[in-house]
């Protein structure tokens, strides 16, 4: 991490045969370093991190201001993120408008909902982001750009945001968009009974409609990520603008299947378990988008069905759950296909049911040493210690992954704790794992009940690798139990599992890993469980709750990093789950599909920018 005074370096340029000015890779690297140097030159006592009011107003945050905010908030970027040209995709040039794109959404049997308030999986908001608009949207360098926000002003203390809304926007059903729709969405998303994302905007003290095309947000505390997280249409979801008329006409259930938004594509057909059919929205506010006339999104559950469809040319583009690692090299060798691999923001774990008789932990608030005297916790910790993550990545992911010991992933840069790999109680220790199982009364696995490890059909092979590692190291029998994603997630939400292989994606900020997953009240923490018999879901710990809450509104970046890493260490040491790996983001598509650099955002699919050769 660079922490020096700003550089005065000005990159050299080159001219190609068409007269365009270009920088070579060495100059790009120097530029990136210079921008990082500048990003860290600010007064940490200033809640807005040294940025002036003018830096934050307008219709788009400048590149410099965005990098400064991300640095001050702790989300430091790597060079490849600062300058995407350093990791150019294999996309071709020369696409044209029109035509139909046939997509597969991997690892899922049906798209259960496209209602932003209810979306709980990355694979769902990947689609919804092309149907709806938000006030803001991020681009491939994580710069916050106005979507339905035409411009904005921020008060000197960073607590008040006045947003000028885009005029002339219409919903897919013909209704005109105005501030009433923003107010309706805010009120709906603020209600935890109506939206699972209410905590994303919990730092908003008051919302005001100033006129038909101007609104104000008043925050409780300065929040560097407000524009890029709370108001962003995809991963944030809370302020993805929904249609009042559409909800009233269709009803809640049908709205989740065939929703109405103001985005570049509109849903023309969708039956659960079948394809989502999209068509170009002719009245979209940007006349240059979308590029395609139609998009078909077909759920495909299973590795070989996905491979067969790609190789036969039945599908041209893959979204959804992470692309099966065992297919990457095979697809890369196919001359008709393009494969692009980038660092992925997310984590995957083995989730352990604390209400299972052999793995019971009813109170995670006890000191770690005291927990280590309980048989149920001994088993949990033994499973975590037995996981040879390097071997798993080699055998289960064909080398495409990074060992994980917590929810905070390497893509978060400044927040990532490299030392956790060696300091965590979960660190790979086969002899320690065996000793714990013996102390719990199961030497070499004798007498331990058979467990089921729930996977999706796509991750069945990875689950088998995990099962084999646990068998060899601990002597316990684990049966891989592949289930359709929608069925499996329902059982997980009810905590009706033994073990589950799964996790999260699109995690760009610590709130994604801690607030969404590692608090007692987290939206993914057993939300459908029987609370009379299961007071919490997979995890509950008071100090972790407090730290996760405090870090989310802490302005000082160094302090926020300390809080994040302390919370992350607690979840790791006390085995909130057995952390396994951080994925990479793999995009596979036909060579006939043109994916420009501005459409390549890890975890998202900007289908409105894609065209056909």
């Amino acid at each position: 991490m660079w922490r020096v005074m700003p550089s005065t370096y000005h990159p050299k340029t080159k001219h190609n045969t068409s007269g365009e000015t270009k920088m070579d890779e060495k100059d790009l690297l120097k530029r990136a370093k210079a921008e990082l140097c500048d990003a860290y030159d600010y007064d940490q006592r200033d809640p807005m991190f040294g940025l002036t009011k003018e830096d934050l107003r307008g219709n788009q945050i400048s590149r410099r201001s965005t990098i400064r905010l991300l640095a001050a908030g702790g989300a430091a970027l790597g060079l490849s993120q600062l300058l995407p040209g350093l990791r150019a995709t294999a996309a071709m040039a020369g696409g044209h408008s029109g035509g139909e794109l046939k997509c597969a959404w991997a690892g899922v049997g049906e798209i259960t909902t496209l209602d932003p308030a209810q979306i709980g999986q990355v694979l769902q908001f990947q689609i919804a982001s092309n149907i709806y608009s938000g006030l803001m949207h991020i681009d491939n360098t994580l710069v916050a750009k106005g979507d339905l926000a035409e411009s904005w002003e921020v008060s000197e203390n960073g607590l008040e945001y006045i947003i000028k809304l885009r005029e002339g926007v219409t919903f897919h059903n013909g209704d005109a968009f105005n501030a009433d729709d923003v107010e309706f969405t805010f009120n709906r998303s603020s209600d935890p009974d109506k939206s699972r994302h209410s905590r994303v905007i919990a730092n908003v003290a008051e919302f005001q409609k100033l006129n038909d095309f101007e609104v104000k947000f008043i925050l409780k505390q300065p929040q560097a990520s407000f524009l890029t997280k709370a108001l962003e249409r995809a991963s944030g979801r809370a302020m993805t603008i929904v249609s009042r008329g559409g909800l009233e006409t269709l009803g809640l259930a049908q709205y989740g299947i065939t929703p109405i938004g103001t985005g570049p594509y509109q849903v023309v057909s969708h039956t659960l378990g079948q394809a989502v059919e999209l068509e170009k929205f002719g009245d979209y506010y940007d006349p240059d988008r979308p590029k395609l006339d139609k998009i078909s999104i077909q759920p495909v559950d299973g590795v070989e069905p996905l491979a067969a469809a790609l190789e036969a040319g039945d599908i041209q583009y893959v979204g959804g759950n992470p692309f099966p690692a065992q297919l990457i090299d095979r697809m890369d060798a196919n001359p008709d296909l393009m494969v692009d691999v980038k660092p992925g923001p997310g984590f995957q774990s083995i989730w352990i049911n604390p209400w299972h008789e052999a793995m019971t932990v009813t109170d995670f608030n006890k000191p770690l040493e005291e927990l280590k005297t309980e048989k149920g916790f001994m088993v949990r910790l033994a499973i975590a210690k037995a996981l040879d993550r390097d071997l798993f990545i080699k055998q289960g992911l064909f080398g495409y992954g990074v060992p994980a010991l917590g929810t905070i992933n390497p893509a978060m840069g400044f927040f990532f704790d490299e030392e956790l790999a060696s300091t965590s109680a979960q660190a790979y220790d086969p002899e320690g794992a065996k000793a714990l199982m013996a102390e719990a009364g199961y030497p070499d696995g004798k007498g331990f009940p058979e467990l089921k490890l729930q996977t999706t059909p796509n991750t069945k092979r990875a689950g088998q690798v995990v099962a084999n590692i646990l068998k060899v190291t601990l002597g316990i029998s684990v049966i891989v139990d592949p289930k359709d994603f929608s069925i499996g997630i329902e059982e997980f939400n009810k905590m009706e599992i033994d073990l589950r292989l799964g996790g999260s994606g699109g995690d760009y900020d610590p709130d994604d890993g801690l607030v969404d997953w590692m608090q007692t009240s987290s939206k993914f923490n057993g939300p459908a469980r029987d609370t009379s018999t299961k007071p919490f879901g997979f995890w509950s710990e008071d100090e972790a709750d407090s730290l996760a809450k405090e870090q989310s509104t802490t302005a000082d970046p160094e302090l926020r990093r300390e809080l994040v890493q302390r919370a992350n260490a607690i979840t790791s040491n006390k085995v909130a789950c057995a952390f396994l790996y951080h994925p990479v983001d793999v995009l596979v598509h036909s060579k006939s599909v043109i994916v420009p650099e501005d459409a390549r955002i890890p975890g998202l699919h900007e289908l409105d920018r894609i065209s056909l050769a």
Side-chain angles (χ1 to χ4, degrees), residues 2 78 119 121 164 200 223 226 246 248 275 327 429 444 526 554:
W2 294 278
I119 287 175
Q121 285 82 46
K164 174 69 171 63
V200 173
Q223 182 180 345
F226 184 65
E248 182 178 347
L327 295 181
D429 178 8
D444 297 322
T554 295

Side-chain angles (χ1 to χ4, degrees), residues 405-484:
L405 273 303
T407 63
I408 307 303
N409 62 71
M412 294 183 190
F414 182 73
F415 291 111
F416 184 63
D417 185 359
E418 294 182 358
E419 295 183 1
L420 196 62
S422 58
T423 62
S424 171
Q426 290 198 31
Y428 179 53
D429 178 8
E431 295 307 315
K434 292 175 183 177
L436 283 166
M437 286 296 288
E439 190 175 353
Y442 308 108
D444 297 322
K446 294 177 181 178
F448 192 76
E450 183 177 88
L451 299 177
K452 285 187 176 182
L453 171 60
Q454 184 195 98
T455 70
T456 65
N458 267 20
T459 58
K460 177 182 177 181
R461 186 182 184 282
Q464 290 170 335
V465 174
V466 169
N468 185 63
I469 289 174
L470 295 179
K471 179 66 175 180
V472 170
T473 305
L474 301 179
I476 64 177
S477 179
V478 176
I479 304 300
V480 177
D481 184 24
K483 293 188 175 180
D484 178 81

Side-chain angles (χ1 to χ4, degrees), residues 7 14 77 95 109 111 128 145 152 196-197 210 236 274 315 325 341 367 381 400 404 408 473 494 517 533 549 574 577:
S7 169
K14 294 182 178 181
L77 299 176
I111 308 299
K145 292 187 176 180
W152 53 89
R196 62 192 304 164
H197 309 298
L210 302 182
Q274 299 181 30
I315 59 172
V341 182
L381 185 56
Y400 292 99
I408 307 303
T473 305
K494 293 179 180 179
W517 287 93
T533 58
K549 180 179 180 180
K574 292 191 174 182
C577 55

Side-chain angles (χ1 to χ4, degrees), residues 73 75 225 229 408 412 415 507-513 551 560:
S225 63
K229 170 72 174 174
I408 307 303
M412 294 183 190
F415 291 111
D507 299 342
Y508 305 105
D509 185 88
D511 281 1
D512 296 313
Q551 66 79 30
R560 190 182 185 208

